[in-house]
Amino acid sequence: MNVEKYVAVVDIGRLGKPAIVAHGGAGGWQVERVGEALQVLKKAVEVGLKQKTALDMVVEAIAVLEDSGILNAGIGSVLTFDGRVQMDAGLMYRGWAAGVGAVSYPRNPIRLAKEVYTRTRHVLLVGADADMLAAKLGLPKHPGPSASNFEKWVKSRMNAKKLKWAAPLLQLYGDTVGAVALDQEGHLAAGASTGGISLKHPGRVGDSPIPGAGYYAEDGLGACSATGIGETILLGMVCRKIVELLSKKSPVEAVKHVLYEHTSRFGADTVGVIVLSAEGEAVAGINTRAMPIGYGGMRSGVMLLERNGKVLEP
Ligand code: ASP
C-alpha cells in the first residue's frame, strides 16, 4: 500500500507562546457544513487564547466546541445503537491526565474531566458513577439527543435494518473535537471530547478519554490531540508516539512517521491529529477526507485540510 497517497500533513508554522490549535474532527466533511465548523473553531481559539494556563485554554476552547451543537461532542453528540448520548473526554497537563468515559450527565464532559483532574488522583472515571460526580458538583446537565441527531439516528437505524446490536465501525465517526495549547509559562496541554462513533454499542469507550491514545502532552516536547476510529487510535497509541518522536524529529516528520505507520497498519480513513511543539510550532495531519482546524498565537486563522494535501483557507 502506498500510504503516502492517503496521508496529508500541513505545517501550520510557528505560533509562538501562548498558542492554541483546535480541530473539529477528521471525517467526511461535506462542503456545505465546513463554513459553520470553521466559524465555531475561530471562536474556540479566541476563547482559548483569553485563558492563562494551557489547561484552561484547552478546556474552554473545547467547551465552546461542545456547546456548538454542530460537532460530535457535548450538545451535538451522536447516539448509541439504542439512541442514547454517551460521551468520552480527557485532558493532560503538567505530567498528569484525567478522562471520563461513557458519560451522559454533563453538558460539557471536558469540564467533568477537569474536575477529575483537579479534585482526584484518578486518571479515568466512567459511566453512572462519573455521571453522579457531575451531578454532585452541580455541573450543567446535558439536554439529551439533539433533534437533528435523533432524526439521523432514526434514519440510520431504518437504513440498517440488518444490524442487530451495533453498527460496524468503519465510516460512522466524525466531527469529534480536540485542542492543544502552550501557555505563557511554557506548559503544554492537550484534550479531546466526543460523542464517539454513531450506532456504537452502549458502553463502548474510544480513544478520547485515554491518555497516549486520543491526547498526550509533555512539557519540553509537545502536545497532540487525535480524532478518527478510536479503536485504531487506542491500539496505535498515536498521540504518545508522536509526542515522544518530537525528541528526535521535527513536528512535520513526527506526524508523517506515525500517520504512515498507522495507515499501513489500519488503512486509510482512520486518523487525524493536531500537534503543537514546545517551541510553539503547529502541524496537523489526516488520512481521512478532510479536517477543519483553527489556530491562534502570533498568527490566527482557520483552514480545511484535505486528503490531497490541499488547504482551503477562507
Ligand atoms: N475518536 C472518536 C472515537 O472513536 C471518534 C472521532 O474522532 O470522530 O470515539
Side-chain angles (χ1 to χ4, degrees):
M1 182 184 193
N2 175 13
V3 287
E4 289 176 30
K5 201 167 94 191
Y6 299 97
V7 174
V9 176
V10 59
D11 187 358
I12 299 167
R14 193 173 269 273
L15 299 178
K17 207 165 60 171
I20 183 165
V21 186
H23 74 78
W29 281 105
Q30 288 120 9
V31 180
E32 58 277 14
R33 291 189 45 240
V34 171
E36 224 181 352
L38 294 179
Q39 281 299 324
V40 174
L41 283 160
K42 186 168 178 250
K43 183 168 167 216
V45 163
E46 282 165 9
V47 169
L49 279 174
K50 289 196 181 116
Q51 315 304 317
K52 224 174 127 217
T53 65
L55 175 68
D56 284 333
M57 291 170 81
V58 160
V59 170
E60 295 308 319
I62 289 181
V64 168
L65 301 171
E66 289 175 335
D67 283 339
S68 74
I70 62 155
L71 298 164
N72 175 19
I75 300 295
S77 293
V78 299
L79 308 187
T80 58
F81 194 73
D82 60 356
R84 288 182 284 155
V85 167
Q86 273 191 357
M87 304 162 289
D88 301 333
L91 50 84
M92 184 156 179
Y93 173 63
R94 302 192 72 170
W96 199 262
V100 294
V103 293
S104 305
Y105 185 94
R107 178 186 169 98
N108 297 105
I110 198 69
R111 293 200 193 285
L112 181 56
K114 185 183 167 189
E115 297 289 355
V116 174
Y117 180 94
T118 49
R119 289 172 190 270
T120 80
R121 266 326 239 177
H122 300 314
V123 168
L124 190 59
L125 288 189
V126 300
D129 292 299
D131 280 333
M132 220 138 67
L133 176 66
K136 218 185 321 181
L137 292 171
L139 295 187
K141 191 172 179 334
H142 195 285
S146 70
S148 73
N149 279 334
F150 184 71
E151 216 172 280
K152 276 188 213 143
W153 175 78
V154 171
K155 270 197 202 131
S156 47
R157 283 296 302 267
M158 278 183 334
N159 291 341
K161 284 224 175 68
K162 296 192 294 279
L163 301 175
K164 289 268 183 329
W165 48 272
L169 290 175
L170 288 174
Q171 283 155 19
L172 284 167
Y173 69 99
D175 317 357
T176 280
V177 309
V180 286
L182 172 67
D183 63 28
Q184 216 39 280
E185 308 261 282
H187 297 302
L188 286 150
S193 180
T194 186
I197 294 202
S198 68
L199 303 186
K200 65 187 178 183
H201 192 290
R204 177 265 188 189
V205 172
D207 58 306
S208 308
I210 310 294
Y215 61 93
Y216 200 75
E218 191 171 324
D219 283 358
L221 282 182
C224 165
S225 181
T227 164
I229 297 179
E231 283 69 8
T232 73
I233 299 168
L234 279 162
L235 290 168
M237 281 287 142
V238 169
C239 280
R240 168 119 200 212
K241 248 186 225 163
I242 289 178
V243 171
E244 274 180 356
L245 273 181
L246 292 175
S247 66
K248 45 183 187 233
K249 285 185 190 287
S250 72
V252 167
E253 287 309 312
V255 170
K256 276 189 181 163
H257 182 94
V258 173
L259 261 50
Y260 289 165
E261 189 187 86
H262 197 84
T263 308
S264 72
R265 185 167 170 201
F266 300 107
D269 294 310
T270 50
V271 72
V273 292
I274 50 173
V275 173
L276 191 59
S277 75
E279 284 73 45
E281 293 162 80
V283 172
I286 51 171
N287 73 1
T288 63
R289 216 169 107 199
M291 179 167 75
I293 300 160
Y295 58 90
M298 277 174 349
R299 294 179 294 114
S300 292
V302 290
M303 60 168 69
L304 184 77
L305 171 62
E306 295 191 329
R307 172 153 34 217
N308 55 15
K310 215 160 80 186
V311 172
L312 303 178
E313 283 173 288

